[in-house]
Amino acid sequence: MQNRVISRKDLAGFVDELIKTKAAGEVIGIKAQGNKFNFGPLKGAADLRLDYDVSLLPPKKYFFPQVETVLKYEVGNTPKVEPVVEEKTMCLVGVHPFDIRALQLFDAVYGGNNPDPNYFLKRNNSTIIGVDCLNPIPKSFAASMGTATTKEGFDLMLTDIGGDYFVTVGTNKGDNLIKKHAKSREGTSADQEKRDKVRKDALKKYKVSLNMKPDEIPALLDAMWESGIFKDKAASCFSCGSCVMVCPTCVCFDVQDDMALSLKGGERYRRWDACMLSEFAKVASGENFRNIKNRGSATACTVRASTC
Ligand code: SF4
Ligand code: SF4
């Protein structure tokens, strides 16, 4: 597969063509929402804001919706249970590398020996067109975590190299899509050098540094178990859950039954849940396995959640 270069005008034409033909399913893109940015269905390429810094919610919501029915049931003498698995084909345009890496972590958690069909029927049918983040917000720690760029997890990755976009082709699906639906040319080594320079310059804009390697963090956390920092942080946490709800790697959900008023049946759904919410570990008897008076550490994500 050969990387490509596409002009801004032709990129807009490409996106409009995808919207019109639905060649890769429903097109979801990054758009302005007030003075912030968020992913949503695209009506036209003109709405795309590939220069964004961070989205309000990560794109995980398209594969793992906030609320999702997982089965329907009927009760009575011959009870019935029917799984509900929604299949959807989508093309996500403008996903940043750190959100792509987060989706890969999701794949690992929801995959394994017992893959989650509700997640994978959406995820496997979807196309990811990423964009390198050239304007990170000052609080972003993606560079420290090694996730400011990625070599995998996308079908196409766009990098703004000035007048044009360099397109790193990640999969055959991406290759076919751009060749069939867009006017583009083969990328040269000079174009690739431009991409690498743009990425290098963007790395210098990250102001937060953890001063350690990401793989040293688990050992550090183990060693800091009794550290006062967690108590200090927890003291100002009011369990709003914002930080975990906006986290691209938070995978937790709660399962609830909704019985119809007729009492003849109902549906079971799952919805996002999070350890920072006080009822996260509460069970049917009312027992809460955590002492919520001294609830867990507040490791607030201040990148997306502005609460803290
Ligand atoms: S750390 Fe902050 S954002 Fe997270 S639950 Fe507590 S108050 Fe909310
Ligand atoms: S336990 Fe908490 S931090 Fe971990 S994935 Fe669940 S909500 Fe996120």
Side-chain angles (χ1 to χ4, degrees):
M1 291 176 299
Q2 176 78 39
N3 293 330
R4 320 282 307 171
V5 169
I6 189 168
S7 69
R8 282 166 196 280
K9 184 168 157 277
D10 290 332
L11 177 64
F14 177 38
V15 172
D16 282 333
E17 171 84 0
L18 292 180
I19 295 169
K20 195 171 119 200
T21 60
K22 292 194 171 66
E26 185 184 12
V27 182
I28 310 284
I30 185 72
K31 305 190 288 187
Q33 185 173 316
N35 59 357
K36 308 267 185 198
F37 302 96
N38 216 356
F39 285 91
L42 268 190
K43 286 195 182 130
D47 292 340
L48 257 187
R49 285 294 305 272
L50 295 176
D51 60 336
Y52 78 113
D53 46 13
V54 68
S55 59
L56 286 168
L57 279 178
K60 74 174 184 187
K61 64 179 178 174
Y62 290 102
F63 310 114
F64 172 55
Q66 285 98 330
V67 182
E68 183 174 35
T69 302
V70 288
L71 62 86
K72 291 191 173 167
Y73 57 84
E74 287 173 21
V75 293
N77 293 335
T78 48
K80 274 195 210 158
V81 178
E82 198 185 313
V84 179
V85 185
E86 193 200 10
E87 192 172 350
K88 213 169 168 193
T89 306
M90 292 168 281
C91 177
L92 270 64
V93 186
V95 186
H96 277 154
F98 38 81
D99 281 329
I100 289 174
R101 296 284 291 275
L103 284 174
Q104 290 181 304
L105 291 176
F106 247 84
D107 294 347
V109 173
Y110 278 70
N113 294 334
N114 190 17
D116 185 297
N118 296 66
Y119 173 80
F120 281 106
L121 264 179
K122 295 186 234 342
R123 177 83 168 109
N124 290 343
N125 285 344
S126 294
T127 303
I128 302 288
I129 302 183
V131 66
D132 272 316
C133 180
L134 305 185
N135 303 304
I137 65 168
K139 289 174 179 173
S140 177
F141 49 86
S144 282
M145 298 301 289
T147 58
T149 57
T150 180
K151 289 184 175 159
E152 53 181 28
F154 54 84
D155 297 289
L156 298 170
M157 172 64 71
L158 309 169
T159 314
D160 187 342
I161 54 169
D164 300 324
Y165 281 91
F166 187 89
V167 187
T168 310
V169 178
T171 62
N172 285 331
K173 180 161 66 168
D175 196 38
N176 291 336
L177 215 54
I178 194 164
K179 280 186 183 152
K180 191 166 171 201
H181 297 280
K183 212 169 124 193
S184 66
R185 65 168 173 84
E186 280 190 5
T188 62
S189 51
D191 296 318
Q192 191 155 323
E193 275 167 28
K194 272 193 209 167
R195 177 201 67 181
D196 295 345
K197 180 169 186 322
V198 163
R199 284 181 174 174
K200 216 168 156 190
D201 290 346
L203 278 181
K204 291 180 199 152
K205 296 183 189 169
Y206 287 86
K207 301 294 175 211
V208 176
S209 172
L210 296 182
N211 291 327
M212 64 189 306
K213 291 183 188 147
D215 56 11
E216 291 169 355
I217 293 174
L220 178 76
L221 285 175
D222 274 348
M224 302 258 303
W225 195 246
E226 299 297 334
S227 166
I229 193 171
F230 298 115
K231 264 194 185 152
D232 286 353
K233 291 286 178 190
S236 60
C237 170
F238 49 93
S239 286
C240 73
S242 299
C243 54
V244 268
M245 290 297 168
V246 298
C247 176
T249 58
C250 277
V251 294
C252 293
F253 60 83
D254 186 23
V255 176
Q256 299 205 347
D257 280 350
D258 191 5
M259 179 66 110
L261 285 177
S262 66
L263 300 183
K264 288 182 180 161
E267 58 181 45
R268 177 167 294 179
Y269 61 91
R270 66 181 176 190
R271 67 173 185 197
W272 290 3
D273 197 6
C275 58
M276 299 303 267
L277 298 172
S278 57
E279 297 205 341
F280 183 68
K282 195 172 172 186
V283 291
S285 66
E287 176 66 25
N288 196 326
F289 291 110
R290 297 185 306 176
N291 179 357
I292 57 168
K293 282 187 193 136
N294 298 309
R295 62 183 173 268
S297 61
T299 50
C301 167
T302 51
V303 177
R304 280 189 164 110
S306 52
T307 322
C308 289

